[in-house]
Amino acid sequence: MSVIPHSPFSTPTLRFHAPHRIQSFLHPPMTLSKLQPIRHLIHRSNLTVSAASVRQDTLWTPTPLLKISPAAESLFHVTIDVSESPELAASYTKSGQYLQLRVQEPNTKPSFLAIASPPNDAVSKGVFEFLVKSIAGSTAEVLCELQKGDVVELSTVMGKGFDLDQISPPEDYQTVLIFATGSGISAIRSLIEAGFSADKRSDVRLYYGARNLSRMAYQERFKDWESYGVNIVPVLSQPDDSWTGERGYVQAAFAREKRISSPQSTGAVLCGQKQMAEEITSVLVADGVSSETILKNF
């Protein structure tokens, strides 16, 4: 499922502690090849769904695409108009929730996608936004080749989302550690932009892992995220020689300098590759962080 992609991720220590330092690490925006219209697609007979099979009683709502644009290498921003589907829009209440999407293409199966836009955008702007990884032979690949105005179908919103009550009030949970890999950053974007009182906490860190900068989405949002009170620690598993930040895996980067002063007042949010989530959870629990304050979106 596009919610949790693959990711890899170990060494020098460099992090972003102030917004103005972000750009010195990042390359200019990359240019990807032009999207191909759906009419040029040939029917595929072996498309695979990236998560569990769809329930037969799922309620589907037809919705038009507003925009598809490159986000990073193999990743796309997808914006869908839900303004004519108020019940669907209102069903999105917590960051970390997801839904199923299906396309009107033979032999395709629904794909599970985390919603990247914050919940209030669904009602106020009438949109759902997604960060979709295009994988050859998948439904997500077909989706990323559609055009504005093409119709897709969405299920109702699913999942418990991130239970922020477990790390509230902020004065009791001064440290919040966030971990994301690959397109798992989509649910984290929603969390940060919806707000969880990061500016009222003393230590909020986002460890964000990708293969290299070309595969790291949302770089243009980093300054804003820093202004909300989130210190961003990019971790690259295969960077070029000019990279002076963290290298390797997210879990290794964190383990090198955990800096957990008070486990009892520490919360965590995880979204991404399964092995990363399991290893980070083990490290945190071993250091005294309660499993109840380690939030996952499913």
Side-chain angles (χ1 to χ4, degrees):
M1 112 194 212
S2 300
V3 179
I4 300 185
H6 102 130
S7 120
F9 302 77
S10 313
T11 312
T13 301
L14 201 96
R15 81 181 14 76
F16 305 139
H17 290 296
H20 72 272
R21 298 181 59 189
I22 298 292
Q23 295 303 318
S24 63
F25 291 93
L26 307 181
H27 299 323
M30 60 181 297
T31 301
L32 299 182
S33 58
K34 187 177 180 181
L35 297 175
Q36 296 299 313
I38 187 64
R39 61 179 174 272
H40 292 312
L41 294 174
I42 59 171
H43 293 326
R44 297 169 174 84
S45 60
N46 61 344
L47 289 168
T48 58
V49 66
S50 53
S53 58
V54 60
R55 289 176 50 180
Q56 296 302 310
D57 60 349
T58 299
L59 176 64
W60 296 99
T61 302
T63 53
L65 289 171
L66 283 179
K67 185 178 180 181
I68 297 180
S69 61
E73 184 179 325
S74 77
L75 292 170
F76 291 82
H77 298 297
V78 176
T79 303
I80 296 178
D81 184 356
V82 294
S83 61
E84 298 300 317
S85 306
E87 290 185 4
L88 175 61
S91 70
Y92 178 33
T93 59
K94 285 188 178 181
S95 297
Q97 290 183 302
Y98 53 92
L99 49 68
Q100 294 179 91
L101 178 150
R102 68 182 183 184
V103 296
Q104 297 176 344
E105 181 79 358
N107 303 312
T108 61
K109 296 180 179 180
S111 184
F112 285 75
L113 300 173
I115 306 172
S117 47
N120 60 347
D121 281 7
V123 175
S124 65
K125 298 181 180 179
V127 298
F128 283 164
E129 295 180 20
F130 304 90
L131 180 67
V132 180
K133 182 177 178 63
S134 179
I135 301 173
S138 72
T139 299
E141 181 187 36
V142 177
L143 170 63
C144 293
E145 292 174 325
L146 297 178
Q147 295 181 327
K148 179 179 179 179
D150 286 330
V151 174
V152 298
E153 293 181 310
L154 302 181
S155 73
T156 54
V157 175
M158 306 174 180
K160 60 185 178 62
F162 299 123
D163 186 1
L164 296 179
D165 288 343
Q166 297 298 105
I167 55 172
S168 296
E171 54 267 26
D172 291 345
Y173 295 92
Q174 283 291 296
T175 298
V176 176
L177 305 168
I178 307 171
F179 304 88
T181 54
S183 62
I185 193 65
S186 56
I188 299 304
R189 175 202 153 189
S190 174
L191 171 73
I192 294 172
E193 296 182 6
F196 62 102
S197 302
D199 60 340
K200 296 180 181 178
R201 306 176 196 262
S202 61
D203 181 14
V204 179
R205 282 172 268 160
L206 165 60
Y207 292 83
Y208 177 12
R211 181 175 297 178
N212 51 49
L213 285 177
S214 294
R215 296 200 175 198
M216 182 168 277
Y218 297 142
Q219 293 179 36
E220 73 283 357
R221 296 178 178 269
F222 285 0
K223 279 188 175 182
D224 286 340
W225 294 359
E226 289 269 1
S227 73
Y228 300 156
V230 180
N231 290 318
I232 303 170
V233 187
V235 186
L236 304 182
S237 63
Q238 298 179 21
D240 61 29
D241 293 339
S242 67
W243 178 247
T244 56
E246 292 283 357
R247 295 170 178 257
Y249 292 85
V250 162
Q251 52 268 45
F254 172 66
R256 279 192 292 275
E257 55 130 47
K258 290 174 284 191
R259 291 193 290 119
I260 300 178
S261 58
S262 175
Q264 294 76 23
S265 62
T266 296
V269 184
L270 287 74
C271 192
Q273 196 235 16
K274 182 179 179 181
Q275 181 179 351
M276 177 276 289
E278 291 176 347
E279 292 183 9
I280 289 292
T281 298
S282 295
V283 170
L284 291 173
V285 171
D287 281 352
V289 177
S290 170
S291 59
E292 293 184 357
T293 65
I294 301 175
L295 312 183
K296 301 172 186 178
N297 63 332
F298 62 91

